[in-house]
């Protein structure tokens, strides 16, 4: 009996699943990929793109050839609903799709509710493709300006990298750009060693990025912080971390209290055997696991193996992350800060490693012959 397997979202983990399907036959299955856009962006290279180091083509992965090689039917649409018990997905078009097995890797969303007053001045960093288009438009719109003002909200690795990249990019083009980073103090590179935070503070200061501690809300002219400070801005980049997609709430899937899909170490929903998930959309029920591209990528091969195993009711594997994860933060000037447990390293050689890892990863899916896929 042919079983229908649907991958929802072109997220990092699904790249490995598509590669697995392309490599080995998967008999008695009908395979689908449903995702919002044909190209998926590799966010690790986004700061490098902003800083002018990479052209857009270097970080965009075209899902069409990957789906074709995997024998998967590609549907370009947003998933807007899921009925886990009835095994049915709803798409933005209103169409419904039945499945025997489903895997979710649609990532997280940026919560923009507190920034609504900004209107067009708000640039959420996700979806990354839309962010890239709007940033390009913003640069054109401010071309005649002397002193454009950009505020980045979010003190995680992404916010810090984006602030440094924006400062680098604007300094090249404008006389007196003003770049600020706003974060709650405890959220500034939380989970990283003090040496990493100190190094990042020095980089921000060296690049003229003003750091403000506090919670920000959007106003018509910029942001207002909890301490009363107002920051005028031509553009506010929201890099405030992932929120669970809203459509999950009515799905019937077991989720944690923030709405992320609860999965076990085998990446299977703890409530519905036919549903798997990986990347930023999950919450591991068996252990804490931070949301990062590293884990989304590394979970991919396990997810691929488990979808095959589930199709024939065989035992599943576990995704067990290593104790420490290496994070490489780009500083916008072909240098990077490396963070591994309590250790910190920084400099050009750290950037070379990051650049090699990132290009190699994207190359596996854009130039399969060269990347060893
Ligand atoms: C600027 C920046 C830099 C970062 N740098 C790093 C880094 O250096 N290292 C690191 O480990 N992490 C990094 N991260 C975090 C990392 O990007 C995420 O953890 C990772 O992208 C999560 O992958 P994912 O597969 O869950 O989702 P995503 O990469 O967000 O992919 C989601 C996919 O699903 C599609 N999709 C979304 N919604 C729907 C829908 N409703 N229906 C259908 N399809 C949908 C999207 O089009 C996309 O193809 C960074 C994040 C940012 C913003």
């Amino acid at each position: 009996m042919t079983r229908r397997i649907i991958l929802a979202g072109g997220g990092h983990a699904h790249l490995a699943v598509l590669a697995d399907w392309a490599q080995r036959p998967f008999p008695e299955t009908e395979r689908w990929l449903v995702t919002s856009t044909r190209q998926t962006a590799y966010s690790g290279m986004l700061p490098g793109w902003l800083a002018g180091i990479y052209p857009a083509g270097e970080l965009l992965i075209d899902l069409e050839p990957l789906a074709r090689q995997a024998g998967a039917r590609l549907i370009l649409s947003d998933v807007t609903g899921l009925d886990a018990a009835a095994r049915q997905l709803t798409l933005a078009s209103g169409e419904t799709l039945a499945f025997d097995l489903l895997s979710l890797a649609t990532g997280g969303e940026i919560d923009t509710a507190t920034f609504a007053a900004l209107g067009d001045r708000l640039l959420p960093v996700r979806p990354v493709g839309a962010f890239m288009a709007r940033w390009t438009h913003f640069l054109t719109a401010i071309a005649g300006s002397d002193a454009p003002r950009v505020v980045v909200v979010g003190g995680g690795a992404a916010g810090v990298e984006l602030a440094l990249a924006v400062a680098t990019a604007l300094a090249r083009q404008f006389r007196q750009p003003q770049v600020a980073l706003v974060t709650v103090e405890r959220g500034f590179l939380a989970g990283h060693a003090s040496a990493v935070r100190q190094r990042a503070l020095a980089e921000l200061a060296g690049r003229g990025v003003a750091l403000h501690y506090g919670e920000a809300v959007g106003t018509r002219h910029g942001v207002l912080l909890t301490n009363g400070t107002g920051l005028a801005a031509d553009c506010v980049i929201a890099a405030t971390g992932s929120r669970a997609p809203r459509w999950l709430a009515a799905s019937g899937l077991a989720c944690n209290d923030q709405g992320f899909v609860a999965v076990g170490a085998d990446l299977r929903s703890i409530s519905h055997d036919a549903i798997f998930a990986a990347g930023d959309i999950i919450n591991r029920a068996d252990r804490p696991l931070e949301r990062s591209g590293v884990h989304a990528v590394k979970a991919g091969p396990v997810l691929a193996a488990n979808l095959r195993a589930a199709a024939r009711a065989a035992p599943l594997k576990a995704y067990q992350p290593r104790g420490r994860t290496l994070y490489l933060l780009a500083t916008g000037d072909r240098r990077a800060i490396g963070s591994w447990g309590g250790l910190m390293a920084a400099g050009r050689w750290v950037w070379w490693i990051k650049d090699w890892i990132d290009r190699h990863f994207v190359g596996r899916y854009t130039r399969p012959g060269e990347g060893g896929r």
Side-chain angles (χ1 to χ4, degrees), residues 18 47 55 60 81 119 163 188 212 241 250 260 293 315 331 333 345 358:
L18 291 170
L60 296 174
F188 181 71
H212 296 268
F260 293 97
T331 53
D333 53 357
D358 289 349

Side-chain angles (χ1 to χ4, degrees), residues 122-178:
L122 176 66
L123 265 70
V125 74
R126 292 190 178 284
V128 175
F131 171 79
M132 291 169 74
R134 292 195 53 209
W135 176 257
T136 305
H137 181 260
F138 170 70
L139 284 184
T140 312
I142 56 162
S145 157
D146 262 356
R149 301 156 303 178
V150 176
V151 173
V152 178
V153 185
V160 171
E161 284 187 295
L162 292 171
L164 289 167
V166 165
T168 307
L170 296 186
R172 218 175 278 137
Q173 228 177 311
F174 301 93
R175 280 200 322 147
Q176 286 179 311
Q178 294 169 37

